[in-house]
Amino acid sequence: MIIALLQFLADCVCLTAALILILIGAGFIAIIARFLFDQLRGVKDPEAIALPEDELPHVLLQIPVFNEPAVTEQALRCVAQLDWPRDRLHIQLLDDSTDETPERAEAVARELRAQGADILHVRREDRSGFKAGACAAGLALFDAPYVAMLDADFRPPANWLKRTVPLLVKDERAGFVQSRCEFANFRKNWLTRAQGLVQDGHFLIEQRTRARAGWLFQFNGTGGIWRRETIEASGGWSDYSLCEDLDLTVRAALGGWHGVFVTEPPIPGQVPEELRDFRRQQRRWSNGFVQVAQKTLLPLWRAPWTLTQRIAAIVLIVHQIFFPTAALGLIALMLGALLRGSLTPYLPVLKFIGIETAIVVLGFTLPPYLALKRGSFVDYVKTMLSVPPLMIYLAFSNGAKILQTMRGRKSTFKRTPKIETAPAAPTQVREAE
């Protein structure tokens, strides 16, 4: 009797998990299908707009940092070289550091000020609100109509602002522009290669496709420019979530603003090189997505959008549920197979999920890999095969924390460690793409 009850419970969990995973996979397949449709139609990024020099607006560029001395120094030197009038580019270093970063950064800032750069070194008494709190504090100090944001490890090319800001100037309902990000250290080891493969798919397939289709897509927290009016009309930065960027994106969309995505030029940054740091970063993102979903799920469903737009938005904010679902499903599967003495009853569902997983992984990773000429096909296969096991690892390492967040547990913002590397040349997408 007890064994039969355990079998029934294990089967119920397996079935529920399988249905959720299949639905999540279907959402990604829909994005891949739309991407291929856009490719066949020859859909392009928004055309570049050139503004006369005297029409270029004031831009506030914010760089939030915490205990990142080397990358902070280089970040300041990089942004000081941006091709934008010196009297209209106002750089804010939002420095919450508790180590030697403030002293080292201020020395570089003084040097660059002497060369004509406008750099304000902003220090707070505490880290209240973390990144969101730092950005809000910086906004209160200057009233520029456009706000560019960069994490300390990102190195924009000189023409970045001239490619992106005019798109906001000419489109009054565009709330932000998000540039494609890529990663200078993605060749470092197997983990960085796997992350680079996934992130290329995120930007070149998911972000670009969502933007082109008019679906909700997220501001990534770096490599983008906000219209100040959008931030203020949406209620400003909020620190209830670890993904303050996604939260503001959703509130802006509900207020009638839309985002713009540009593929070129890309903004090189870094991915974590150690498994512990990667796990911590992914846990922060997953928990942040869950926090945003809990607060915005119903407003998104009630939004005055088409059914497709509402479903696409909901898929975006709930897909992190994959991790605890996969973990619970695999545990129930092993228990059910043990109790039955065989995996045979579960094979049809496992085969279906396996095929769906292959379609998603290939569809999201192969087109960007080819378009960006990342390497040989053999290298692609080796890296691609590491992605599903890595996701399963995250399912077990982070799944419990995500469930705790769903129950109201609060988390502390923990920055991902970064190291200074030599600047990498941005990778251009082939014209065929």
Side-chain angles (χ1 to χ4, degrees), residues 181-236:
C181 298
E182 59 178 31
F183 303 92
N185 63 335
F186 82 97
R187 297 184 188 277
K188 187 69 177 291
N189 56 43
W190 73 270
L191 178 61
T192 59
R193 288 191 291 272
Q195 292 175 81
L197 198 67
V198 171
Q199 291 295 336
D200 283 343
H202 169 67
F203 284 100
L204 270 182
I205 305 294
E206 183 176 16
Q207 291 286 73
R208 186 166 60 165
T209 297
R210 283 180 169 276
R212 289 173 172 180
W215 301 343
L216 179 69
F217 78 98
Q218 71 182 99
F219 175 73
N220 290 97
T222 184
I225 297 93
W226 277 97
R227 184 188 301 274
R228 186 190 188 96
E229 179 187 355
T230 304
I231 298 176
E232 294 175 345
S234 304

Side-chain angles (χ1 to χ4, degrees), residues 6 9-21 321-339 342-343 346-347 349-351 353-354 357 387-399 403:
L6 289 175
L9 292 175
D11 289 346
C12 287
V13 173
C14 273
L15 179 60
T16 302
L19 289 174
I20 294 173
L21 295 177
I321 198 66
F322 163 85
F323 294 112
T325 299
L328 290 173
L330 285 171
I331 292 171
L333 174 66
M334 290 185 287
L335 177 61
L338 182 64
L339 292 172
S342 172
L343 266 177
Y346 306 100
L347 288 181
V349 174
L350 290 176
K351 288 179 181 178
I353 292 177
T357 299
V387 172
L390 188 59
M391 296 299 105
I392 297 303
Y393 165 76
L394 288 178
F396 283 98
S397 66
N398 292 354
L403 292 175

